[in-house]
Structure formats: C-alpha cells, structure tokens
CSV table of all heavy atoms in Angstrom, one decimal:
chain,number,residue,atom,x,y,z
A,12,ALA,N,-2.9,-8.9,-19.8
A,12,ALA,CA,-3.5,-7.9,-20.7
A,12,ALA,C,-4.3,-6.9,-20.1
A,12,ALA,O,-4.4,-5.7,-20.5
A,12,ALA,CB,-4.4,-8.7,-21.7
A,13,TYR,N,-5.0,-7.2,-19.0
A,13,TYR,CA,-6.0,-6.3,-18.4
A,13,TYR,C,-5.8,-6.1,-16.9
A,13,TYR,O,-6.1,-5.0,-16.3
A,13,TYR,CB,-7.4,-6.8,-18.6
A,13,TYR,CG,-7.8,-6.8,-20.1
A,13,TYR,CD1,-7.6,-8.0,-20.8
A,13,TYR,CD2,-8.1,-5.7,-20.8
A,13,TYR,CE1,-7.9,-8.1,-22.2
A,13,TYR,CE2,-8.4,-5.7,-22.1
A,13,TYR,CZ,-8.3,-6.9,-22.8
A,13,TYR,OH,-8.6,-6.9,-24.2
A,14,GLY,N,-5.3,-7.1,-16.2
A,14,GLY,CA,-5.1,-7.0,-14.7
A,14,GLY,C,-6.4,-7.0,-13.9
A,14,GLY,O,-7.5,-6.8,-14.5
A,15,ILE,N,-6.3,-7.2,-12.6
A,15,ILE,CA,-7.4,-7.1,-11.7
A,15,ILE,C,-6.8,-6.3,-10.5
A,15,ILE,O,-5.9,-6.8,-9.8
A,15,ILE,CB,-7.9,-8.5,-11.2
A,15,ILE,CG1,-8.5,-9.3,-12.3
A,15,ILE,CG2,-9.0,-8.3,-10.1
A,15,ILE,CD1,-8.9,-10.7,-11.9
A,16,SER,N,-7.3,-5.1,-10.3
A,16,SER,CA,-6.7,-4.2,-9.3
A,16,SER,C,-7.5,-4.1,-8.0
A,16,SER,O,-7.0,-3.8,-7.0
A,16,SER,CB,-6.6,-2.8,-9.9
A,16,SER,OG,-7.9,-2.2,-10.2
A,17,THR,N,-8.8,-4.4,-8.1
A,17,THR,CA,-9.7,-4.3,-6.9
A,17,THR,C,-10.9,-5.2,-7.1
A,17,THR,O,-11.3,-5.5,-8.2
A,17,THR,CB,-10.1,-2.8,-6.7
A,17,THR,OG1,-11.0,-2.7,-5.6
A,17,THR,CG2,-10.9,-2.3,-7.9
A,18,THR,N,-11.5,-5.7,-6.0
A,18,THR,CA,-12.6,-6.6,-6.1
A,18,THR,C,-13.5,-6.4,-4.9
A,18,THR,O,-13.1,-6.0,-3.8
A,18,THR,CB,-12.2,-8.0,-6.3
A,18,THR,OG1,-13.3,-8.8,-6.7
A,18,THR,CG2,-11.6,-8.6,-5.0
A,19,MET,N,-14.8,-6.9,-5.1
A,19,MET,CA,-15.7,-6.9,-4.0
A,19,MET,C,-16.7,-8.0,-4.3
A,19,MET,O,-16.9,-8.4,-5.5
A,19,MET,CB,-16.4,-5.6,-3.7
A,19,MET,CG,-17.2,-5.0,-4.8
A,19,MET,SD,-18.0,-3.4,-4.4
A,19,MET,CE,-18.8,-3.0,-5.9
A,20,GLY,N,-17.5,-8.5,-3.3
A,20,GLY,CA,-18.5,-9.5,-3.6
A,20,GLY,C,-19.4,-9.6,-2.4
A,20,GLY,O,-19.1,-9.2,-1.3
A,21,VAL,N,-20.6,-10.2,-2.7
A,21,VAL,CA,-21.6,-10.4,-1.7
A,21,VAL,C,-22.3,-11.7,-1.9
A,21,VAL,O,-22.3,-12.2,-3.0
A,21,VAL,CB,-22.7,-9.3,-1.7
A,21,VAL,CG1,-22.1,-8.0,-1.2
A,21,VAL,CG2,-23.3,-9.2,-3.1
A,22,ALA,N,-22.8,-12.3,-0.8
A,22,ALA,CA,-23.5,-13.6,-0.9
A,22,ALA,C,-24.9,-13.3,-1.5
A,22,ALA,O,-25.5,-12.2,-1.2
A,22,ALA,CB,-23.6,-14.2,0.4
A,23,LEU,N,-25.4,-14.1,-2.3
A,23,LEU,CA,-26.8,-14.1,-2.8
A,23,LEU,C,-27.6,-14.9,-1.8
A,23,LEU,O,-27.4,-16.1,-1.7
A,23,LEU,CB,-26.9,-14.7,-4.2
A,23,LEU,CG,-26.1,-13.9,-5.3
A,23,LEU,CD1,-26.2,-14.6,-6.6
A,23,LEU,CD2,-26.7,-12.5,-5.4
A,24,ARG,N,-28.4,-14.2,-1.0
A,24,ARG,CA,-29.1,-14.9,0.1
A,24,ARG,C,-30.5,-15.3,-0.1
A,24,ARG,O,-31.4,-14.5,-0.5
A,24,ARG,CB,-29.0,-13.9,1.3
A,24,ARG,CG,-27.6,-13.5,1.7
A,24,ARG,CD,-27.6,-12.6,2.9
A,24,ARG,NE,-28.1,-11.3,2.5
A,24,ARG,CZ,-28.4,-10.3,3.3
A,24,ARG,NH1,-28.3,-10.5,4.6
A,24,ARG,NH2,-28.9,-9.1,2.9
A,25,GLY,N,-30.8,-16.6,0.1
A,25,GLY,CA,-32.1,-17.1,0.0
A,25,GLY,C,-32.8,-17.0,1.4
A,25,GLY,O,-32.2,-16.5,2.3
A,26,ARG,N,-34.0,-17.5,1.4
A,26,ARG,CA,-34.8,-17.4,2.7
A,26,ARG,C,-34.2,-18.3,3.8
A,26,ARG,O,-34.2,-18.0,5.0
A,26,ARG,CB,-36.2,-17.8,2.4
A,26,ARG,CG,-37.0,-16.7,1.8
A,26,ARG,CD,-38.4,-17.2,1.3
A,26,ARG,NE,-38.2,-18.1,0.2
A,26,ARG,CZ,-39.2,-18.7,-0.5
A,26,ARG,NH1,-40.5,-18.4,-0.1
A,26,ARG,NH2,-39.0,-19.5,-1.5
A,27,SER,N,-33.6,-19.4,3.4
A,27,SER,CA,-33.0,-20.4,4.3
A,27,SER,C,-31.5,-20.6,4.2
A,27,SER,O,-30.9,-21.2,5.2
A,27,SER,CB,-33.8,-21.7,4.2
A,27,SER,OG,-33.6,-22.3,3.0
A,28,SER,N,-30.9,-20.2,3.1
A,28,SER,CA,-29.5,-20.5,2.9
A,28,SER,C,-29.0,-19.6,1.8
A,28,SER,O,-29.8,-19.0,1.1
A,28,SER,CB,-29.2,-21.9,2.6
A,28,SER,OG,-29.9,-22.3,1.3
A,29,ASN,N,-27.7,-19.5,1.7
A,29,ASN,CA,-27.1,-18.7,0.6
A,29,ASN,C,-27.1,-19.5,-0.7
A,29,ASN,O,-26.9,-20.7,-0.7
A,29,ASN,CB,-25.6,-18.4,1.0
A,29,ASN,CG,-25.5,-17.5,2.1
A,29,ASN,OD1,-26.3,-16.6,2.3
A,29,ASN,ND2,-24.4,-17.6,2.9
A,30,LEU,N,-27.5,-18.8,-1.7
A,30,LEU,CA,-27.7,-19.4,-3.1
A,30,LEU,C,-26.4,-19.3,-3.9
A,30,LEU,O,-26.3,-20.2,-4.8
A,30,LEU,CB,-28.8,-18.6,-3.8
A,30,LEU,CG,-30.1,-18.4,-3.1
A,30,LEU,CD1,-31.0,-17.5,-3.9
A,30,LEU,CD2,-30.8,-19.7,-2.9
A,31,GLY,N,-25.5,-18.4,-3.7
A,31,GLY,CA,-24.4,-18.2,-4.5
A,31,GLY,C,-23.7,-16.9,-4.1
A,31,GLY,O,-23.8,-16.4,-3.0
A,32,ALA,N,-22.9,-16.4,-5.1
A,32,ALA,CA,-22.2,-15.1,-4.8
A,32,ALA,C,-22.2,-14.3,-6.1
A,32,ALA,O,-22.1,-14.8,-7.2
A,32,ALA,CB,-20.7,-15.5,-4.4
A,33,LEU,N,-22.2,-13.0,-5.8
A,33,LEU,CA,-22.0,-12.0,-6.9
A,33,LEU,C,-20.7,-11.2,-6.6
A,33,LEU,O,-20.5,-10.7,-5.6
A,33,LEU,CB,-23.2,-11.0,-6.8
A,33,LEU,CG,-23.1,-9.7,-7.6
A,33,LEU,CD1,-22.9,-10.0,-9.1
A,33,LEU,CD2,-24.2,-8.8,-7.4
A,34,THR,N,-19.8,-11.3,-7.6
A,34,THR,CA,-18.5,-10.6,-7.4
A,34,THR,C,-18.3,-9.6,-8.6
A,34,THR,O,-18.8,-9.8,-9.7
A,34,THR,CB,-17.3,-11.6,-7.4
A,34,THR,OG1,-17.4,-12.5,-8.6
A,34,THR,CG2,-17.4,-12.5,-6.2
A,35,VAL,N,-17.5,-8.6,-8.3
A,35,VAL,CA,-17.2,-7.6,-9.2
A,35,VAL,C,-15.7,-7.2,-9.1
A,35,VAL,O,-15.1,-7.2,-8.0
A,35,VAL,CB,-18.0,-6.3,-9.0
A,35,VAL,CG1,-17.9,-5.3,-10.2
A,35,VAL,CG2,-19.4,-6.6,-8.7
A,36,SER,N,-15.0,-7.0,-10.2
A,36,SER,CA,-13.6,-6.5,-10.2
A,36,SER,C,-13.4,-5.5,-11.3
A,36,SER,O,-14.1,-5.4,-12.2
A,36,SER,CB,-12.7,-7.7,-10.4
A,36,SER,OG,-12.9,-8.3,-11.6
A,37,ARG,N,-12.3,-4.8,-11.1
A,37,ARG,CA,-11.9,-3.7,-12.1
A,37,ARG,C,-10.5,-4.1,-12.6
A,37,ARG,O,-9.6,-4.6,-11.9
A,37,ARG,CB,-11.9,-2.4,-11.4
A,37,ARG,CG,-13.2,-1.8,-11.2
A,37,ARG,CD,-13.2,-0.5,-10.4
A,37,ARG,NE,-14.6,0.1,-10.3
A,37,ARG,CZ,-14.9,1.0,-9.5
A,37,ARG,NH1,-14.0,1.5,-8.6
A,37,ARG,NH2,-16.1,1.5,-9.5
A,38,HIS,N,-10.3,-3.6,-13.9
A,38,HIS,CA,-9.0,-3.8,-14.5
A,38,HIS,C,-7.9,-2.9,-13.8
A,38,HIS,O,-8.2,-2.0,-13.0
A,38,HIS,CB,-9.0,-3.4,-16.0
A,38,HIS,CG,-10.0,-4.2,-16.8
A,38,HIS,ND1,-10.6,-3.8,-17.9
A,38,HIS,CD2,-10.6,-5.4,-16.5
A,38,HIS,CE1,-11.4,-4.7,-18.4
A,38,HIS,NE2,-11.4,-5.7,-17.6
A,39,SER,N,-6.6,-3.2,-14.2
A,39,SER,CA,-5.5,-2.4,-13.6
A,39,SER,C,-5.7,-0.9,-14.0
A,39,SER,O,-6.2,-0.6,-15.1
A,39,SER,CB,-4.2,-2.9,-14.2
A,39,SER,OG,-3.9,-4.2,-13.8
A,40,GLY,N,-5.3,0.0,-13.0
A,40,GLY,CA,-5.4,1.4,-13.3
A,40,GLY,C,-6.7,2.0,-13.0
A,40,GLY,O,-6.8,3.3,-13.1
C-alpha cells in the first residue's frame, strides 16, 4: 500500500550505554 523507499536511524545514547534506537523511513516515491 505504501512502501518503504529510504531509511535512516541513530542510537539513543545514555551516559554509560545505548538506550535504544530512533529510526525514520519514507514511503515509496
């Protein structure tokens, strides 16, 4: 229905370790 054409992401960084991840993507076209 929508597709995923491109993506990027970064680690969510704490003082002593990574907490998680933030990712973003765009639909086709």
Side-chain angles (χ1 to χ4, degrees):
Y13 298 95
I15 298 176
S16 63
T17 182
T18 191
M19 62 179 177
V21 292
L23 298 173
R24 297 179 295 170
R26 285 168 291 183
S27 60
S28 63
N29 292 330
L30 309 171
L33 167 63
T34 54
V35 194
S36 62
R37 285 175 175 163
H38 300 158
S39 295

